[in-house]
Amino acid sequence: GQGAARAVGTQIGLDESCIQSQLLPEDKLHYVSSLKGSSTDRHPSLYGGNKLILMVGDGVNDAPALTVADIGVAMGEGAALAVEMSDVTLMDSNLTKLLFSMDIGAKVITTVKENIAFSIVVNLIAIVLTCFGKMTLFWAIVSDVGTMLLVTLNGMKLLSPRTIAAIERKQDGMLAVRTERKKDGERYENLNEVGSGDLELV
């Protein structure tokens, strides 16, 4: 009900204006549709376009909204139709893993950009040296293999316990700050992009 939605929204730091409850399937569909393309994305992206709307649902009545959302996430213990219509399924229905996946995804995109930029720079240097006759076959092989190894090692840092622990600490800190701000009566909208999904679960 509405009381449960407000209680959950308060705990996670949502502004009351972002809380929607007791919505029919068509209401959820229209609400998610209205959110698409409403503002710019705050997460790292390869294309830098508008924000993506993520919808989380666990029932048959969530299926239409899951379909129209850019990313539909179903709870593993939810209805079979919701699971079928979603893009991602949380097998153990743990929403903290959804936040973790979003944060690690942002780091993956940043790492991909770093690897692409590094590879381009190394290749440009090799091309310039080749044009001036300074590049030998040995150093060409070294630069190619070296770039591959460095790019691989840079990507493997995402699997390190330090990276995972940093993401978990960040999530704990953000949740604590959001809860404290809500208690102080401050209004903020830094969770708009996931608000629809949180509220449809109530």
Side-chain angles (χ1 to χ4, degrees), residues 4-171:
R6 292 184 180 277
V8 173
T10 300
Q11 290 179 3
I12 64 176
L14 280 175
D15 190 273
E16 290 187 4
S17 63
C18 300
I19 299 177
Q20 304 288 328
S21 61
Q22 298 179 320
L23 299 180
L24 298 174
E26 56 269 25
D27 296 329
K28 297 179 182 181
L29 176 64
H30 295 153
Y31 182 72
V32 172
S33 299
S34 67
L35 291 176
K36 295 183 69 173
S38 60
S39 65
T40 57
D41 187 17
R42 286 187 286 270
H43 288 288
S45 173
L46 288 177
Y47 58 86
N50 290 335
K51 73 173 184 179
L52 299 179
I53 301 301
L54 185 147
M55 165 70 186
V56 182
D58 64 346
V60 175
N61 59 345
D62 296 318
L66 289 171
T67 302
V68 73
D70 295 308
I71 304 172
V73 180
M75 312 299 286
E77 300 176 358
L81 181 59
V83 173
E84 181 68 22
M85 293 296 182
S86 65
D87 302 301
V88 179
T89 301
L90 299 178
M91 299 306 297
D92 58 357
S93 301
N94 188 347
L95 284 177
T96 59
K97 291 187 177 180
L98 174 61
L99 297 178
F100 177 84
S101 299
M102 293 171 63
D103 285 335
I104 196 69
K107 286 187 173 294
V108 167
I109 293 176
T110 300
T111 302
V112 169
K113 289 182 176 181
E114 292 173 354
N115 290 342
I116 292 175
F118 179 74
S119 300
I120 290 176
V121 170
V122 172
N123 288 331
L124 287 177
I125 293 175
I127 291 173
V128 171
L129 292 177
T130 301
C131 292
F132 285 95
K134 302 294 185 180
M135 178 64 70
T136 64
L137 178 60
F138 172 77
W139 287 112
I141 295 174
V142 169
S143 65
D144 184 63
V145 176
T147 300
M148 180 183 65
L149 291 176
L150 290 175
V151 165
T152 301
L153 291 174
N154 190 41
M156 290 179 63
K157 72 181 182 182
L158 297 170
L159 302 176
S160 68
R162 177 185 297 181
T163 300
I164 295 175
I167 293 176
E168 292 175 344
R169 287 196 301 269
K170 174 186 174 184
Q171 291 177 355

